[in-house]
């Protein structure tokens, strides 16, 4: 049996006494593309931040690439490093050039030499078609360019899984396409991906599975054709109805 790339069992998280993730189970196969939908406040960001090790959880387990995220030492660090994250607000370091943004963590965390990190970064910046802007600062770039640079920065850590939290929601409409195109290319390359997005075209074309979250749980999941044509749950139908 092939091992799941992500294995989440009975994940529970509270903020204070407010339950945010209520016993969530999710298994994602290597190479699988999962799109996460759900109303605001349903726990989508909390879930993918938890997978990335940015949010501690109070119960349940998260394994990434076979390693327990809550383990101490090398195992926990390995699990956290196994995923790369792309945020809605880009989150590039503003005082560093695009290239410096991409070489910093590979040098500090992975121990690459500057030359190695630079070669790797430039290859990735070419892949997201932004190599010509490598020596600019984030503020000198458009939102679409910044988000493509942020994708390159995450890829520079050679993650096994890429997590996206509404990566196009902060963009002007004319820049959404260029970011989705980079994400489609990444999907075609075989990357395991979990994407929170309201871009239904992307979900239909790229997702192997669409997951609908509601009140900290997965209410419904299925392949996009089935999910969009024949949603089983009333809350899913109501949500999809609002998007149209
Ligand atoms: P979504 O991404 O689906 O909109 P979130 O994961 O951001 O949902 O939030 C889920 C719930 O957790 C919401 O009720 C939100 O108010 C709450 N929440 C999120 N982050 C925090 C935080 N840092 N402190 C307290 N409550 C939070
Ligand atoms: Mg969110």
């Amino acid at each position: 049996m092939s091992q799941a790339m992500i294995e989440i069992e009975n994940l529970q998280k509270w903020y204070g006494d407010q339950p945010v993730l209520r016993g969530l189970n999710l298994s994602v196969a290597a190479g699988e593309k999962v799109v996460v939908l759900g109303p605001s406040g349903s726990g989508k960001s909390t879930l993918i931040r938890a997978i990335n090790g940015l949010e501690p959880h109070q119960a349940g387990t998260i394994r990434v690439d076979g390693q327990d995220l809550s383990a101490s030492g090398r195992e926990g660090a390995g699990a956290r490093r196994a995923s790369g994250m792309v945020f809605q607000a880009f989150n590039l370091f503003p005082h560093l050039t695009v290239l410096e943004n991409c070489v910093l963590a590979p040098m500090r965390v992975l121990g690459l030499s500057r030359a190695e990190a630079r070669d790797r970064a430039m290859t990735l910046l070419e892949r997201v078609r932004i190599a010509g802007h490598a020596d600019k600062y984030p503020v000198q770039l458009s939102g679409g360019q910044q988000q493509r640079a942020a994708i390159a920065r995450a890829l520079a850590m050679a993650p096994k899984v890429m997590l996206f939290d509404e990566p196009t929601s902060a963009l002007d409409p004319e820049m959404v396409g260029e970011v989705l195109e980079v994400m489609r290319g990444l999907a075609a390359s075989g990357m395991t991906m979990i994407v929170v997005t309201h871009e239904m075209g992307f979900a239909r074309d790229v997702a192997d599975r669409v997951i609908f979250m509601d009140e900290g749980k997965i209410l419904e999941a299925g392949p996009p054709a089935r999910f969009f044509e024949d949603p089983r749950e009333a809350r899913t139908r109501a949500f999809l109805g609002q998007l149209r």
Side-chain angles (χ1 to χ4, degrees), residues 21-76:
L21 297 175
R22 305 179 185 229
L24 187 144
N25 296 291
L26 177 64
S27 178
V28 179
E32 192 178 12
K33 287 44 151 158
V34 174
V35 163
V36 181
L37 304 179
S40 181
S42 57
K44 306 180 298 296
S45 295
T46 304
L47 170 64
I48 66 167
R49 290 172 62 84
I51 296 169
N52 194 230
L54 293 172
E55 292 281 356
H57 53 275
Q58 282 96 15
T61 56
I62 302 176
R63 299 181 77 82
V64 189
D65 194 25
Q67 303 170 93
D68 187 337
L69 202 72
S70 300
S72 57
R74 292 174 85 95
E75 182 173 356

Side-chain angles (χ1 to χ4, degrees), residues 167-188:
T168 61
S169 294
L171 296 175
D172 292 331
E174 69 269 25
M175 292 166 190
V176 170
E178 67 196 52
V179 171
L180 292 179
E181 194 180 310
V182 165
M183 292 168 63
R184 284 172 190 264
L186 190 59

Side-chain angles (χ1 to χ4, degrees), residues 162-242:
M162 283 284 283
L163 309 169
F164 294 84
D165 191 2
E166 302 201 32
T168 61
S169 294
L171 296 175
D172 292 331
E174 69 269 25
M175 292 166 190
V176 170
E178 67 196 52
V179 171
L180 292 179
E181 194 180 310
V182 165
M183 292 168 63
R184 284 172 190 264
L186 190 59
S189 78
M191 178 64 77
T192 309
M193 294 165 66
I194 301 182
V195 183
V196 179
T197 185
H198 302 300
E199 293 292 332
M200 295 302 134
F202 180 86
R204 281 177 189 274
D205 295 348
V206 177
D208 298 301
R209 185 159 41 131
V210 178
I211 281 175
F212 182 75
M213 279 187 68
D214 192 41
E215 297 186 341
K217 278 184 140 168
I218 296 172
L219 185 65
E220 173 166 9
R226 206 284 291 153
F227 182 91
F228 289 116
E229 282 6 295
D230 184 24
R232 306 265 149 94
E233 300 287 337
R235 294 187 78 116
T236 314
R237 287 196 293 274
F239 177 82
L240 293 174
Q242 283 167 5

